[in-house]
Amino acid sequence: MAGSGTMPVINKHLEKAERLLQKGKLEAALEEFLLARKEEPGNDAIVLEVADVYHRLNKVRECRQCYGYLFDKYAEKNDTSKAGEFFQKLQNLGPMEPKRLIAFAQVVEKQNSQKAIEYYKQALEAASGQDPEASLQSLQGWAALQPSSIEVHQRMAELASKMARKALAASAYNKVGDLLVAGKKYAEAVDALEEAYRLSG
């Protein structure tokens, strides 16, 4: 903080940006907001203002970057309501990236496992074929919330095996085997357990 007095430093760029905004000078206001942000990098209110101006200028990509930054920040802090708010804003701007769908599923899973499963499924769809790492993460999250689903563990086992993640594949096949035994499907269970044994070498 500059000066030795106790007066808080007023961000001049913010004042100027607000004035320009009132006059409808969006480009000039945006420049001032970005300068203000440099002075106060931790101030989310400025990021929101910037996002709003980008939105009004039809710069969707830049607007998404702002909301994405805020979403990531609050998802990391596990702040459900804030993360939810920015997730909503991101969703309104187009399809979501798998990693953000997974992050939001992780944020909501303690309060609403059904909702979290939906987001894991969406992430899986969004990632399919393009991002095996994200697909695997989605299946792991989903499997943890639906531990008795043979299908989910089976898919996780197959994908992990394809990705040469042997320990994970083996434990997933083991789980499939146990679930099949519990369902008295012994022949299928033997196949899964043999696969688990082969993978764990």
Side-chain angles (χ1 to χ4, degrees), residues 38-189:
K38 276 204 177 99
E39 284 187 11
E40 297 183 54
N43 189 339
D44 293 343
I46 300 175
V47 184
L48 272 175
E49 292 279 10
V50 171
D52 185 53
V53 179
Y54 276 138
H55 199 256
R56 288 162 70 177
L57 287 167
N58 266 329
K59 295 191 171 183
V60 176
R61 195 174 63 90
E62 290 87 345
C63 183
R64 271 191 78 99
Q65 280 173 336
C66 293
Y67 288 140
Y69 160 78
L70 290 168
F71 169 74
D72 294 343
K73 179 174 173 176
Y74 287 102
E76 223 167 276
K77 290 181 177 176
N78 257 323
D79 183 329
T80 318
S81 70
K82 281 266 195 239
E85 182 188 324
F86 297 121
F87 184 81
Q88 210 52 56
K89 288 182 188 292
L90 276 170
Q91 268 193 321
N92 294 338
L93 294 171
M96 291 286 280
E97 308 89 332
K99 68 175 201 305
R100 289 202 166 119
L101 286 162
I102 292 168
F104 194 54
Q106 289 167 343
V107 170
V108 298
E109 66 181 20
K110 283 186 185 67
Q111 286 134 324
N112 189 336
S113 58
Q114 261 334 97
K115 199 169 165 185
I117 287 170
E118 278 315 305
Y119 289 121
Y120 281 128
K121 284 182 188 172
Q122 282 179 33
L124 195 57
E125 258 169 60
S128 91
Q130 275 121 37
D131 189 343
E133 205 47 66
S135 297
L136 191 57
Q137 235 188 315
S138 309
L139 285 165
Q140 283 177 280
W142 183 3
L145 295 174
Q146 271 195 332
S148 59
S149 167
I150 293 174
E151 183 213 353
V152 180
H153 287 91
Q154 181 80 38
R155 283 171 74 178
M156 182 163 78
E158 283 164 12
L159 181 59
S161 182
K162 246 188 229 158
M163 290 168 69
R165 301 280 282 277
K166 286 186 176 171
L168 182 60
S171 89
Y173 273 120
N174 246 327
K175 180 77 177 160
V176 171
D178 292 345
L179 290 168
L180 287 166
V181 166
K184 297 191 168 41
K185 295 181 176 166
Y186 300 115
E188 288 169 60

